[in-house]
Amino acid sequence: MSTQPRHHMDYIRIHPADDVAVALRDLKAGEHIVIDNTGITLKANIPRGHKIMLHDMPAGADITKYGFTIGHITHDIRAGQLLDHNELKTNLSGTLQYEYHPTSDIPQPKVHDPQTPTLNPQPKTIQAYVRPDGQIGIRNELWIVPTVGCVNGICHRLATNMQAWLDTQPDSDIRVVAYTHNYGCSQLSDDHEATRHILRDLVLHPNAGGVLIVGLGCENNQPDAFIQLLGNYDTSRIRMMVTQQIEGDETETGLDILRQIATVMQADRRTTVPVSRLRIGLKCGGSDGLSGITANPLLGRLSDWLTSCGGTTVLTEVPEMFGAETLLMARCSTRQLFNQTVEMVNGFKQYFLSHGEPVGENPSPGNKAGGISTLEEKALGCTQKAGTAAPVNGVLRYGDRISHAGLNLLCAPGNDLVASTALAAAGCHIILFTTGRGTPFGTFVPTLKISTNSELARLHPTWIDFNAGRLTEDATMEHMLNLFIQKIIDTASGQPTWNERKGYQEIAIWKNGVTL
């Protein structure tokens, strides 16, 4: 076995204070690495994304990664050993008292590129649809939205038949999608209102050129009350059909309404609008040990760039902020926003505790297999999607819609489809979804998948839209950021994501109460 020092792109110490390095490829026991002129011989195989101990430490000692504590070790451990979830435990427990200390001094991983990309705030444009209410949409789809799960079958049948009809029409590129769900009845209080608000946000989303709302008639989510929740809307593009009020075949009635809406949509054309109108959701799932080194920092640089142009990004997954929440709190532009962030974080912790669940048991089996051991470690990688430059300008409750440009925080769980649906419902035109393990899913707006490693992009080329794994290989952050910005512009201007090409488009609504 060779004992020569390996190239630094084989491993990385993210922050000078870190007790661990991260393997950027599979390393073998007996290999020799050099960190800060200190040689270390590996005492175990270290899989890609996993942590290498850099010095001997005793049981109970806190471990630092990203420049922050990520938990404590359960027994003595020596330099060169593998440090994973079997040796490292969370320090998180219950709710905390926080103090407002605004700052923007947040350590960031350097990957292998010591240069900070020069962000180009020069105005860029996208090709989008300008809606009658002034909003922009980056898609012109025809959506079918049920008020209650009882009519899901009708909605799917309508979507299939309407798409077949549109495909026979000359020059029609309208896609029809039914966004079915299981709720709208037998719900109480907060669950009932959450369903109503997510469905309202879906109906009013500007990526839809037209919407047919399909109700049953006897559900808790009463069609008349739901229509009132929409406020002022374009009645030529948003229509309602209550199936219990129809005599005969509801399919023919629904198709007739859909054809009327499609006629209005046929006149829609893309036009040039500034990129500052774009709203992007930031999400990760199936994360691995490279997520906080490649893809998430890339999203952070994209967020910094877009907000510097006047655009909007939204970060969610509140449970995956635990352990890094103070970094976001410090960026709140006002004390009121800080207080709202504290309420969001502690409220979510209390939600866990009220169900008898600990606040720190978050990393999934896939996360652990990919090199993430504790929630603190996961959070410090997750929150990098928010970048470093922009202050927090808005804090949104679940079901709220964006009202402030810049960086926003949104209250939603970490579940991939629930959180992505919440981001889209808030008004995001695109979801950027980083992943180290891979997933094919998408929600009701384009869901662009960014791989943390090149192997995933190779294994699943019809899942992954952009490979950030090149950051550990042959590309600088500046080069990748420029490519990524162009990918976002192309997607916003009509280029389909893989989830759109395959028709993987769904919604999921957060439920936390009783079912009648």
Side-chain angles (χ1 to χ4, degrees):
M1 180 71 67
S2 171
T3 59
Q4 294 300 312
R6 306 298 302 178
H7 192 279
H8 72 93
M9 285 172 61
D10 290 342
Y11 49 86
I12 178 176
R13 187 185 200 178
I14 298 170
H15 188 275
D18 287 356
D19 299 312
V20 295
V22 178
L24 301 181
R25 65 164 180 87
D26 291 343
L27 301 175
K28 300 296 184 182
E31 291 195 57
H32 197 65
I33 67 173
V34 176
I35 301 288
D36 294 338
N37 298 318
T38 300
I40 300 170
T41 300
L42 302 182
K43 296 177 175 60
N45 293 337
I46 312 291
R48 184 191 66 211
H50 283 251
K51 296 176 289 296
I52 310 162
M53 282 300 302
L54 298 181
H55 37 257
D56 298 351
M57 296 188 74
D62 285 340
I63 299 297
T64 298
K65 182 183 177 185
Y66 298 109
F68 294 90
T69 298
I70 61 170
H72 64 275
I73 51 176
T74 56
H75 56 267
D76 296 352
I77 193 162
R78 297 176 61 195
Q81 289 185 329
L82 169 70
L83 178 65
D84 66 12
H85 65 280
N86 295 304
E87 291 79 33
L88 186 62
K89 299 301 178 184
T90 181
N91 288 339
L92 296 174
S93 54
T95 59
L96 298 174
Q97 297 290 324
Y98 299 97
E99 295 183 358
Y100 184 38
H101 297 294
T103 178
S104 59
D105 183 19
I106 302 174
Q108 290 293 297
K110 299 180 177 62
V111 196
H112 66 276
D113 179 12
Q115 298 181 353
T116 299
T118 302
L119 296 179
N120 180 7
Q122 295 302 314
K124 291 184 180 289
T125 59
I126 60 174
Q127 298 297 309
Y129 300 94
V130 179
R131 301 303 182 193
D133 62 1
Q135 295 190 84
I136 68 152
I138 65 167
R139 296 293 184 267
N140 197 41
E141 297 177 336
L142 178 52
W143 294 348
I144 303 171
V145 179
T147 60
V148 64
C150 304
V151 295
N152 284 349
I154 295 172
C155 293
H156 283 303
R157 183 179 179 85
L158 286 170
T160 299
N161 290 357
M162 184 61 185
Q163 189 67 68
W165 180 81
L166 283 169
D167 289 345
T168 67
Q169 304 304 301
D171 301 323
S172 175
D173 60 357
I174 296 174
R175 294 180 67 245
V176 186
V177 189
Y179 288 109
T180 55
H181 57 90
N182 296 328
Y183 302 120
C185 204
S186 303
Q187 292 181 290
L188 299 172
S189 189
D190 291 346
D191 273 357
H192 176 64
E193 287 306 312
T195 294
R196 281 164 38 86
H197 281 79
I198 292 295
L199 295 179
R200 174 205 64 184
D201 299 343
L202 175 58
V203 169
L204 296 177
H205 198 284
N207 278 13
V211 179
L212 172 61
I213 306 165
V214 180
L216 183 61
C218 58
E219 61 268 36
N220 286 81
N221 186 18
Q222 277 288 291
D224 288 346
F226 182 71
I227 284 292
Q228 291 180 1
L229 186 64
L230 299 181
N232 295 323
Y233 65 93
D234 188 338
T235 57
S236 68
R237 293 176 181 268
I238 299 175
R239 303 279 297 275
M240 166 73 82
M241 179 178 74
V242 182
T243 55
Q244 286 179 346
Q245 298 175 3
I246 294 172
E247 296 183 10
D249 187 356
E250 68 281 344
T251 303
E252 286 306 314
T253 300
L255 287 172
D256 182 59
I257 299 172
L258 287 167
R259 293 186 190 108
Q260 294 174 38
I261 298 172
T263 299
V264 177
M265 294 172 58
Q266 293 285 14
D268 295 339
R269 297 289 184 271
R270 290 185 182 270
T271 188
T272 302
V273 300
V275 75
S276 60
R277 304 291 304 278
L278 201 55
R279 303 188 294 256
I280 291 180
L282 309 171
K283 176 76 178 80
C284 56
S287 300
D288 67 0
L290 298 186
S291 293
I293 295 172
T294 59
N296 288 354
L298 178 62
L299 261 64
R301 302 300 174 89
L302 184 281
S303 178
D304 287 343
W305 173 80
L306 183 61
T307 54
S308 75
C309 295
T312 301
T313 57
V314 185
L315 180 72
T316 188
E317 302 179 277
V318 177
E320 296 179 20
M321 299 176 187
F322 299 169
E325 69 270 35
T326 55
L327 304 182
L328 297 171
M329 292 173 181
R331 294 171 62 184
C332 291
S333 57
T334 67
R335 183 173 291 276
Q336 180 181 5
L337 289 170
F338 165 77
N339 291 337
Q340 290 173 352
T341 305
V342 170
E343 180 181 0
M344 179 180 70
V345 170
N346 275 339
F348 224 108
K349 288 183 176 181
Q350 191 58 49
Y351 164 61
F352 278 24
L353 297 171
S354 69
H355 285 75
E357 301 294 339
V359 302
E361 290 298 320
N362 180 282
S364 68
N367 294 151
K368 294 173 182 177
I372 297 174
S373 303
T374 66
L375 180 51
E376 296 100 308
E377 181 181 7
K378 188 175 183 179
L380 287 162
C382 171
T383 53
Q384 290 184 54
K385 300 192 299 292
T388 62
V392 173
N393 282 346
V395 178
L396 306 172
R397 297 168 301 178
Y398 182 71
D400 281 355
R401 302 170 74 197
I402 297 165
S403 59
H404 294 89
L407 176 63
N408 286 251
L409 306 179
L410 168 64
C411 184
N415 177 273
D416 290 347
L417 189 51
V418 172
S420 296
T421 300
L423 286 167
C428 294
H429 299 103
I430 301 173
I431 307 300
L432 302 182
F433 188 98
T434 67
T435 180
R437 310 291 293 182
T439 181
F441 95 108
T443 189
F444 69 89
V445 300
T447 308
L448 195 149
K449 253 62 68 58
I450 303 99
S451 62
T452 70
N453 61 84
S454 295
E455 182 180 9
L456 173 60
R458 178 183 62 81
L459 290 173
H460 293 287
T462 61
W463 289 5
I464 300 303
D465 298 279
F466 192 89
N467 176 26
R470 289 182 56 195
L471 285 166
T472 65
E473 298 163 2
D474 59 354
T476 66
M477 180 64 83
E478 184 169 14
H479 175 67
M480 294 299 287
L481 177 60
N482 288 330
L483 292 178
F484 195 44
I485 289 172
Q486 189 58 53
K487 182 67 175 180
I488 301 302
I489 290 172
D490 291 344
T491 301
S493 299
Q495 184 182 88
T497 56
W498 272 115
N499 80 286
E500 292 180 292
R501 295 182 195 181
K502 292 198 165 188
Y504 300 159
Q505 295 173 271
E506 305 171 81
I507 65 170
I509 299 172
W510 186 18
K511 176 188 180 301
N512 58 34
V514 300
T515 298
L516 295 176

